[in-house]
Amino acid sequence: MRTTPERVIGDAHTQASPLETGPAPLKRSSLMAVLVCWLLIVFDGYDLIVYGTVQSSLLAEPGWGLTKATAGTIGSAAFLGMLIGALLAGRLADLLGRRRTILACSIAFSVLTVLCAFAPNPFVFGGLRLLAGIGLGGLVPSVNALTAELIPDRWRSAMATLMMSGVPIGGSIAALTGIVAIPAFGWRSMFLLAVVGLVVLVPLGFKYLPETLEHPASADRSDRGPKTGFGSLLRAPYRGASILFAAITLATLFAWYGLGTWLPNLMQLSGYNLGSALTFALALNLGAVAGSIVTGWAGVRFGTMRTAATAAALAAAALLMLVSQPPVAVVYLALILAGVGTHGTQALVIAAVASRYPEQLRGTALGWALGLGRIGAVMAPQVGGLLLAAGLGVSSNFIAFAAAAALAATLLGVLVRRERTA
C-alpha cells in the first residue's frame, strides 16, 4: 500500500495516546479548555483586524502626519512581531509547555494593545503594535498545539479549522464595533476594548487550561521521540512538506492580512463612506467564518490539500472580480468568497500541520509555518501602501492579493501531486 508524504509526516514517529484512541467523548474539562482557546483566538483576531478599522482615522489624526506608505509600515509592525512571536513561542511551547506560553502571550498582547490607546505619536504606536504582535504571533501555534493534544485524532483536522474561525469572528467584531465606536468615541476606544481580554479571558485561561506536555527537565529524553529543533523540520521525512507549508502560509497570509489591513481604506478611496467601507470588511470576515466551517467539512470529505487548493483558487478569482469595479452586490459576493478562500485555505494548512507532525514537533512545526508565513503578513501592508503611494490605484492591491492566492493554489497543487506520485 502506498503511503503519502502527508501520512508519513503524521505517522512516522507518533505513538498512540489515550487522547487519540477510542470512541469516548471529550471530558468537560477538555471542552472548557478548547472553548477558552477559541475565545483567545477570537480576541487575537480582533487585535489583528482592529488596525484596518482605524487606519483611515490615523491618516487624519492631527499632528501625526501619516502617509499611505507610513501607514503601511505601521500595519506591518504587528505582523513583524507576529513572525518573531510565532517562531519563539512554538519552540517554547514544546519545551516549557503550552499553558505557560499561551497565558504569557495573552497577557502581553492584551496589555500592549490597551497601551496603544494612549500612544502620543505614530512612533510609539508602531512600537507598541510590534511588541503586541509578538504575543499575538505566539498565541496561535501554542493554542493549536494544545488543542491538538486535547482532541481525538479523528476530530483534529475539523477542530483546527473551527478553532481558526475565531480569527475572522474577532475581525467581524472589530468591524461592527468600529461602525459604532469610531464616530462616537474616536479610534482610541477600539484599543481600550482589549482590556476585556485581560480581565475576563486571562483568568479563564488560568482556571481551565491544562498542561499537556511534560516539562523536559523531568522527562526521560530517551522516551521523547525525535529531536524537536527547527533543524528536524528540514530533515527527511519532513523537509519538502515543511518548506511547502511555510511558502503556502506566506502567500495566503499576504492575501488575507493585506485585505484585512487595507480593505476599509481601499473602499473609501473607491468612493464609499467609512460606515459602508467597514461593512465590506465585515463581509470579508463573515466569509472567512463561513470558510472555516465549509472548508473544514470539505477537507474531511474530499481531502485537506485538495480542498485548500480549490479554496485558494476561489480567492484568487474572487479578488480579480473586484478589479472591474462591479456593482455593489457583486462586490459583497466577491469579498465573501475571498474570505472563504483565503482564511479557509490557511485554516486547512494549520490543520494539516497540527495533524501530520509528531507530538514533540507539533508546536515547533506550527511555529515554523506560521512564523515564516508571517513574512507575507509583514510584506502585505507595506506593499499595499507603496502601490497606492505610487499612484497605481485601488485595483493594484486587489491584483497583488489575487496573485498571492493563486501562488498558494499552485503550491498546494504541488502537494497534491506529491500525494499521487508517492
Side-chain angles (χ1 to χ4, degrees), residues 36-76:
V36 171
C37 286
W38 181 80
L39 289 172
L40 288 170
I41 292 291
V42 169
F43 221 80
D44 187 293
Y46 177 93
D47 277 24
L48 286 174
I49 302 301
V50 69
Y51 178 73
T53 67
V54 305
Q55 188 181 70
S56 297
S57 300
L58 293 178
L59 286 167
E61 178 71 11
W64 281 35
L66 288 180
T67 65
K68 292 181 176 64
T70 54
T73 301
I74 291 176
S76 294

Side-chain angles (χ1 to χ4, degrees), residues 295 305-316 337-338 340-342 344-345 348 405 409 412:
T295 57
M305 292 298 99
R306 289 179 178 84
T307 302
T310 302
L314 175 66
L337 293 176
V340 170
T342 53
T345 300
L348 287 168
L412 285 160

Side-chain angles (χ1 to χ4, degrees), residues 230-259:
F230 287 116
S232 300
L233 302 178
L234 297 177
R235 291 193 289 268
Y238 312 114
R239 184 190 307 110
S242 295
I243 293 171
L244 284 171
F245 280 137
I248 292 163
T249 303
L250 188 154
T252 306
L253 292 185
F254 181 94
W256 169 244
Y257 287 121
L259 284 170

Side-chain angles (χ1 to χ4, degrees), residues 215-314:
H215 193 283
S218 61
D220 182 352
R221 300 295 298 180
S222 64
D223 296 332
R224 291 176 56 81
K227 294 181 180 179
T228 59
F230 287 116
S232 300
L233 302 178
L234 297 177
R235 291 193 289 268
Y238 312 114
R239 184 190 307 110
S242 295
I243 293 171
L244 284 171
F245 280 137
I248 292 163
T249 303
L250 188 154
T252 306
L253 292 185
F254 181 94
W256 169 244
Y257 287 121
L259 284 170
T261 300
W262 280 107
L263 183 61
N265 192 259
L266 292 175
M267 303 317 291
Q268 283 189 279
L269 291 174
S270 298
Y272 299 95
N273 60 36
L274 176 62
S276 298
L278 290 175
T279 62
F280 287 120
L282 179 61
L284 175 72
N285 282 281
L286 289 177
V289 175
S292 298
I293 298 170
V294 172
T295 57
W297 169 82
V300 174
R301 177 67 177 82
F302 303 107
T304 302
M305 292 298 99
R306 289 179 178 84
T307 302
T310 302
L314 175 66

